[in-house]
Amino acid sequence: MKVLANDGISKAGERTLKDAGIEILDNRVAQDHVINFINDNNVDVLLVRSATKVRKDLIDACPGLQIIGRGGIGMDNIDVEYAKSKGIKVINTPTASSKSVAELVFGHFLSLARFLHESNRLMPLEGETHFNAMKKSFSNAYELSGKTLGVIGFGSIGQEVVKIGIALGMKIEVLTRSPRTEVLSLNFFDGQTVNFEITSTNDMDAFLRNTDFISINTPKTNEYIIDTPQFEKMKDGVYIVNTARGGVINEVTLIDYIESGKVAGAALDVFENEPSPELPLLMNPALSLSPHVGGNTVDAQEKIGVELAEQIIKLQKETIR
């Protein structure tokens, strides 16, 4: 079996495949040349992240493909159902990067609540001349402890976000399409485990009225989850972080509500026009921004690589049987 990891794979994942006797091609092939490369090199497995698109044309042109793997959760860059209809196995790693994304959510929340995103930009420019003025302007900050964390989506990432919120002493509200209950376990350094039973709500209006910090952790959607009607129902001074997908929040409207003061600050790791975010977003001082790096930690990439490798090895064994 031959594997093309076109968007890369961790060393741990590569070792796991090689130890199983599977050949790994860690090439980076441009989108226009992927089809020819797969066919010329008799590739059986194509592994991608978000860069490489696996659409119907590629699937039709590469009849030798047996497995398509996505390093991460969302598979909107793969025509999943079409691939399956052609007998191709489609795999992903739904939990491997959850902790990394959740930690980024709180990196942004803490940065916004303490103006770190803005002070980090201004200190090199004005720290020597306007130190006291900046100290005063950044003093209207907030603790997260005791505030209400609202999480939209209750998948593996949403659950990790909730766990960190609990650990910080926050009150928890979760919004899902249908109410459901999950038992979340917090594991501590000394071996203790504490379980929390969290029940979500589908009452969007009550959810928005009650939350101080909102984290969006949903799959890609066809329409905005957060737009003018939702902003209008939020508390004044709310903080919002989107690490889900571009297009779940109306970015133009977000800027309007930041400028009106309804939204105290927001963070975006994903964008509607990715990889070319709109300039007004990039220049707005109330926004904390990152370039779609939610799952981009050494830890997450190690887990993703190994999890993909183990799934490939399992599928290979099943095929041999």
Side-chain angles (χ1 to χ4, degrees), residues 31-245:
Q31 184 74 49
D32 292 345
H33 302 291
V34 172
I35 291 173
N36 289 338
F37 187 93
I38 288 172
N39 292 328
D40 292 345
N41 292 275
N42 300 312
V43 171
D44 304 290
V45 182
L46 173 62
L47 300 182
V48 302
R49 293 198 61 205
S50 57
T52 303
K53 313 301 178 188
V54 189
R55 300 302 180 199
K56 291 180 181 179
D57 61 332
L58 187 151
I59 294 166
D60 287 336
C62 300
L65 270 184
Q66 299 176 35
I67 302 171
I68 298 169
R70 165 69 160 91
I73 298 175
M75 295 196 287
D76 40 284
N77 58 319
I78 301 171
D79 287 337
V80 176
E81 295 306 318
Y82 188 75
K84 289 180 178 179
S85 74
K86 296 293 184 178
I88 300 172
K89 301 289 185 183
V90 182
I91 60 176
N92 67 338
T93 57
T95 62
S97 61
S98 298
K99 289 183 184 295
S100 291
V101 178
E103 289 185 6
L104 180 67
V105 169
F106 279 91
H108 278 301
F109 274 145
L110 292 164
S111 180
L112 290 166
R114 298 304 301 268
F115 302 102
L116 296 181
H117 62 298
E118 193 171 358
S119 63
N120 279 330
R121 285 189 291 222
L122 292 178
M123 279 296 288
L125 301 173
E126 301 180 21
E128 186 177 5
T129 56
H130 295 86
F131 188 93
N132 288 331
M134 282 192 290
K135 180 179 179 180
K136 183 177 180 180
S137 66
F138 296 149
S139 64
N140 191 28
Y142 291 96
E143 295 179 353
L144 273 64
S145 177
K147 306 301 188 302
T148 299
L149 169 67
V151 180
I152 303 177
F154 209 16
S156 59
I157 295 174
Q159 291 181 24
E160 291 297 332
V161 171
V162 169
K163 288 181 185 180
I164 297 176
I166 291 171
L168 287 171
M170 302 185 79
K171 302 168 187 174
I172 304 298
E173 295 278 351
V174 179
L175 181 71
T176 53
R177 288 192 181 93
S178 301
R180 74 176 199 261
T181 300
E182 299 283 352
V183 177
L184 306 184
S185 298
L186 270 66
N187 302 310
F188 296 94
F189 70 96
D190 58 358
Q192 290 188 73
T193 298
V194 181
N195 294 326
F196 294 85
E197 189 174 279
I198 306 294
T199 300
S200 66
T201 179
N202 63 352
D203 187 339
M204 170 75 88
D205 291 355
F207 172 87
L208 295 173
R209 285 195 304 268
N210 293 334
T211 48
D212 304 295
F213 292 82
I214 297 175
S215 175
I216 308 173
N217 303 107
T218 65
K220 184 177 177 63
T221 57
N222 293 324
E223 56 187 21
Y224 296 126
I225 295 174
I226 302 294
D227 204 346
T228 300
Q230 291 74 40
F231 282 116
E232 285 295 325
K233 291 166 184 168
M234 292 178 186
K235 280 185 176 182
D236 290 342
V238 68
Y239 292 92
I240 305 170
V241 172
N242 180 23
T243 57
R245 284 288 186 271

